[in-house]
Amino acid sequence: GESVGLHLPTLSVQEGDNSIINCAYSNSASDYFIWYKQESGKGPQFIIDIRSNMDKRQGQRVTVLLNKTVKHLSLQIAATQPGDSAVYFCAETGTGGYQKVTFGTGTKLQVIP
Amino acid sequence: KAGVTQTPRYLIKTRGQQVTLSCSPISGHRSVSWYQQTPGQGLQFLFEYFSETQRNKGNFPGRFSGRQFSNSRSEMNVSTLELGDSALYLCASSLSGEERNTIYFGEGSWLTVV
């Protein structure tokens, strides 16, 4: 069935290092992917998105890579900072309507000072 | 520009009661969607409204309902509350939903059912 999932529940990274958060999806018809950051007590915050006709997209300190062959996407955060500590969700939309976002289970990123 | 505003932020209800949550989307946004977040089930889509019409619906029982007003503001209602309805309820808005518009979330309403 349609699902978006994450490989690791928790990721600990030293401050200044790069972080890589991975995500797998099962629906080959998925055509739009989004990464969200959720800090404690807050709603999800949009980070970056990518369409299925792309394999890489860069933002400020973040890069999303999409591998449609193996149905995998990743979020890379450069020079991780303490403020990056949060839960990160990959999400998919488009197959059920662009407002119906299917979220993965989330990865908690812990930045070690 | 104000973000998505949800009220109330926190509330406690008793089993069997009903609750209404309110959401004001970002100015100019016409699509409003609702999500439930729990530790066990994660973030799950409830429903989406556009131009006062429900356009998409998730897999939740009929006790969960919603509506949208002409000014795009939205409410969701949960009747006959159960303990398992305790969750963070998130509202999100976007421009239209016909394209891949960025979806913005509010801070959520924390509902505790006792």
Side-chain angles (χ1 to χ4, degrees), chain A residues 40-94:
Chain A
S40 181
K42 296 185 177 181
Q45 176 188 359
F46 173 88
I47 301 173
I48 191 168
D49 58 0
I50 187 168
R51 300 185 182 188
S52 60
N53 61 353
M54 305 169 66
D55 53 20
K56 180 179 180 179
R57 189 158 190 230
Q58 288 184 296
Q60 187 175 20
R61 281 202 307 119
V62 294
T63 300
V64 56
L65 300 177
L66 175 63
N67 185 329
K68 294 180 288 294
T69 302
V70 295
K71 301 193 189 71
H72 179 272
L73 68 159
S74 66
L75 177 70
Q76 300 179 2
I77 304 173
T80 311
Q81 303 169 358
D84 295 328
S85 293
V87 176
Y88 289 80
F89 295 93
C90 67
E92 169 269 339
T93 187

Side-chain angles (χ1 to χ4, degrees), chain B residues 45-85:
Chain B
F45 173 81
L46 280 157
F47 29 65
E48 183 243 347
Y49 288 87
F50 180 79
S51 292
E52 302 178 65
T53 300
Q54 187 181 88
R55 194 164 56 173
N56 274 300
K57 189 177 188 304
N59 297 321
F60 279 82
R63 299 185 297 107
F64 292 81
S65 63
R67 59 177 175 168
Q68 186 180 35
F69 303 95
S70 58
N71 61 0
S72 294
R73 192 176 68 84
S74 177
E75 290 181 346
M76 68 161 284
N77 183 279
V78 187
S79 61
T80 319
L81 284 166
E82 301 176 359
L83 295 179
D85 296 333

